[in-house]
Amino acid sequence: MHILHHGAVNGVTGSCHQLIINDQSSFLIDCGLFQGEDSVDDLNIEFNIDTVRALIVTHCHIDHVGRIPYILMAGFKGPIFTSIASASLLPLVIEDALKVGVTRDQKIIDTCLRLLQQQIIKVDFNTWFDLPCKAEHTAKARLQRAGHILGSAYVEIDISTPPQKANNIHRVVFSGDLGAPYTPLLPAPKAPYKADTLVIESTYGDKNHQGRKQRTQTLKAVVERAVTDNGIVLVPAFSIGRTQELLYELEQLIHASTKNSPWRTIQVILDSPMAANFTQQYRKFKYLWDEEAKQKVAKGRHPLDFENLTTINTHSEHLALINYLASRQTPAIILAASGMCTGGRIVNYLDQFLTDKTTDVLFVGYQGRGTLGRDIQTYGPQNGYVLINNTRVNINAKIHTISGYSAHADQAGLIKFVTGMRKKPHHIKIVHGDDDAKNALAAKYREVLGNEVKVEIGKR
């Protein structure tokens, strides 16, 4: 048994890990698209899929599922195992990815979606299922809740060889993306009972997030500043996860405000049809919410569908809104994709409003190397500039980052995921992070776990 990494090792995108059982059987855990500095023009699958018997999808972010159409077109016919909620989201994500980055030919899109639907197998959390395996090995897997986005999971895989005895079973755990504790809507992940080999993400392996109270205060302060100067707050938000968490927090701030507070009238604008679709899915799967969110619903609150919220659907409505906001100083909070500003409607807002001193740009998620979002984070505080559509745009807006809204576990959470296991892993492979984050997390694991655990950085 060994593991090959076909992405998310030199950065945080393109997550794709191949667990090789023997010469005839292997499994893919995720098959994601490269983004930002890691993106490539040739999206063909550069690794051999002849032995791949199944694909397990941890969650539906594009950097974990975006290359699925390419393995389907390359002839992969095996099952695609994923959680029930992820199975509902996956076709939406793939269809959007195809339209934006590949083709507008509806016949090609429909063919890909038909293959996808035929091969998806929905599995319940915490339920073992058999993986197709040839030769003398057998394998089974189960998904556990990861708390990252709706339907997200980490994966436990048990591999055994005859005779079927406990000491012949090797458990491999793939973390996928782990959620941060105390985030709205979804419960935090719980550590697995055991792992022999652990493949773990390290997006924030060198950082710890703000606490929930602190990040809520920061959000409140940024919005209230925008109200005083009649400016707007631009939030580049990932369609799945971050958008819904922010809506939840904004509804709470509005609900808790006094009767004459400007919070009661400020407009929250969701300008992303995809995000709106995913928000509907979050409402559909309310049974996966945490207890706090369920209690609000029981009291008649609507955390993801409140009075101040307006959704923009068509492109013409989007352009009309930009013109309206540019001609009138009207305070508003705009949530628009993409989360790293690599495309989508947020780019039009940035192009129009980055030069305005009354604008605030609020980053609530990780910005990958080589993305417009990372450039704005880097050069904005220096009143520098960025290139948008090959045109220089000066940054006069205020730039803010609230790390606590990240859907990724921080260093403390990644440490707790391992120390919380009853039986610690013998081998940890660290992936899905920049070099500083991976190295810092590796050093921390060695410090906490000692020399009995082999800790290494995953490499392609």
Side-chain angles (χ1 to χ4, degrees):
M1 187 211 79
H2 60 287
I3 301 168
L4 299 179
H5 306 286
H6 304 301
V9 280
N10 299 326
V12 299
T13 68
S15 188
C16 184
H17 311 288
Q18 186 176 11
L19 176 61
I20 298 176
I21 308 301
N22 53 44
D23 291 341
Q24 301 176 57
S25 300
S26 66
F27 312 116
L28 286 183
I29 291 80
D30 291 335
C31 194
L33 200 64
F34 292 100
Q35 295 174 291
E37 194 176 87
D38 303 325
S39 63
V40 292
D41 293 329
D42 182 5
L43 295 174
N44 291 316
I45 300 299
E46 75 283 6
F47 54 91
N48 191 335
I49 64 168
D50 289 347
T51 68
V52 176
R53 304 297 166 202
L55 165 64
I56 302 173
V57 172
T58 64
H59 66 285
C60 288
H61 275 149
I62 196 67
D63 62 318
H64 287 254
V65 300
R67 278 187 284 173
I68 289 178
Y70 300 95
I71 65 168
L72 294 178
M73 297 306 164
F76 172 70
K77 293 181 171 59
I80 300 173
F81 295 101
T82 194
S83 72
I84 295 171
S86 290
S88 185
L89 295 173
L90 187 55
L92 302 175
V93 174
I94 295 300
E95 182 176 10
D96 183 66
L98 288 171
K99 287 180 178 178
V100 171
V102 181
T103 181
R104 288 280 178 175
D105 188 323
Q106 196 60 44
K107 289 184 178 179
I108 295 175
I109 294 170
D110 289 344
T111 298
C112 184
L113 293 177
R114 187 177 66 255
L115 291 172
L116 181 68
Q117 292 283 19
Q118 289 172 354
Q119 293 171 234
I120 288 176
I121 295 180
K122 305 174 185 179
V123 295
D124 289 315
F125 288 117
N126 199 30
T127 301
W128 289 101
F129 54 93
D130 291 328
L131 293 170
C133 200
K134 291 192 175 183
E136 72 279 8
H137 293 86
T138 62
K140 62 179 181 178
R142 68 177 173 183
L143 305 181
Q144 302 279 24
R145 296 178 66 168
H148 176 62
I149 64 168
L150 185 70
S152 62
Y154 66 85
V155 186
E156 298 175 291
I157 301 177
D158 278 3
I159 305 158
S160 58
T161 52
Q164 304 299 325
K165 296 181 179 179
N167 60 356
N168 284 342
I169 296 175
H170 187 93
R171 180 167 295 179
V172 187
V173 175
F174 291 86
S175 73
D177 287 351
L178 296 173
Y182 312 119
T183 55
L185 282 170
L186 300 178
K190 295 180 180 178
Y193 174 76
K194 62 167 282 189
D196 296 302
T197 298
L198 170 65
V199 179
I200 192 164
E201 66 130 319
S202 58
T203 311
Y204 286 99
D206 56 345
K207 294 180 178 69
N208 285 313
H209 299 321
Q210 294 172 307
R212 184 171 178 181
K213 183 177 180 181
Q214 184 181 0
R215 69 176 182 243
T216 302
Q217 288 173 342
T218 303
L219 175 63
K220 186 171 184 284
V222 170
V223 173
E224 288 177 351
R225 176 191 174 277
V227 170
T228 59
D229 61 15
N230 288 320
I232 62 171
V233 180
L234 298 179
V235 186
F238 295 90
S239 295
I240 318 175
R242 230 65 50 84
T243 293
Q244 292 75 31
E245 290 176 9
L246 278 165
L247 292 177
Y248 183 94
E249 293 284 72
L250 290 167
E251 189 274 342
Q252 174 60 29
L253 287 168
I254 293 167
H255 178 79
S257 64
T258 58
K259 186 175 181 179
N260 296 321
S261 166
W263 276 98
R264 292 298 174 105
T265 57
I266 193 167
Q267 284 298 300
V268 179
I269 299 170
L270 179 57
D271 191 354
S272 170
M274 283 295 289
N277 286 338
F278 293 135
T279 301
Q280 288 180 352
Q281 294 293 320
Y282 265 74
R283 295 200 295 266
K284 174 182 174 182
F285 289 99
K286 281 200 280 280
Y287 70 87
L288 295 174
W289 292 10
D290 63 14
E291 288 306 313
E292 177 188 292
K294 289 176 181 176
Q295 287 174 12
K296 289 185 179 182
V297 173
K299 293 177 181 177
R301 303 258 299 273
H302 302 281
L304 301 183
D305 187 19
F306 47 95
E307 186 177 345
N308 298 50
L309 178 62
T310 301
T311 299
I312 302 298
N313 293 307
T314 67
H315 187 66
S316 59
E317 289 175 340
H318 160 71
L319 295 178
L321 177 62
I322 289 178
N323 290 333
Y324 173 80
L325 293 172
S327 62
R328 303 187 181 203
Q329 283 198 306
T330 302
I333 305 167
I334 315 291
L335 283 71
S338 71
M340 295 188 191
C341 310
T342 53
R345 295 183 179 183
I346 191 64
V347 176
N348 293 332
Y349 285 104
L350 293 168
D351 191 19
Q352 177 68 48
F353 295 108
L354 266 183
T355 58
D356 193 335
K357 291 181 180 179
T358 66
T359 298
D360 292 83
V361 182
L362 179 60
F363 290 103
V364 293
Y366 183 85
Q367 302 299 305
R369 296 172 301 179
T371 63
L372 176 58
R374 175 71 75 93
D375 288 345
I376 293 171
Q377 273 186 327
T378 302
Y379 304 114
Q382 308 166 24
N383 291 116
Y385 69 91
V386 291
L387 295 177
I388 298 178
N389 299 323
N390 297 316
T391 301
R392 173 173 170 155
V393 177
N394 293 324
I395 305 173
N396 296 321
K398 299 287 190 301
I399 310 301
H400 314 267
T401 299
I402 308 180
S403 69
Y405 281 105
S406 173
H408 288 270
D410 59 9
Q411 186 187 78
L414 296 170
I415 296 296
K416 185 177 180 181
F417 189 74
V418 177
T419 57
M421 295 184 194
R422 293 286 295 274
K423 295 185 178 180
K424 305 294 188 291
H426 308 299
H427 182 197
I428 297 176
K429 296 190 78 173
I430 298 175
V431 298
H432 201 288
D434 292 336
D435 288 343
D436 289 347
K438 288 184 292 190
N439 291 328
L441 185 60
K444 198 70 178 176
Y445 278 142
R446 294 184 184 111
E447 174 189 328
V448 172
L449 301 171
N451 297 325
E452 294 182 3
V453 178
K454 179 184 178 183
V455 179
E456 66 172 324
I457 306 295
K459 296 178 181 177
R460 291 187 74 181

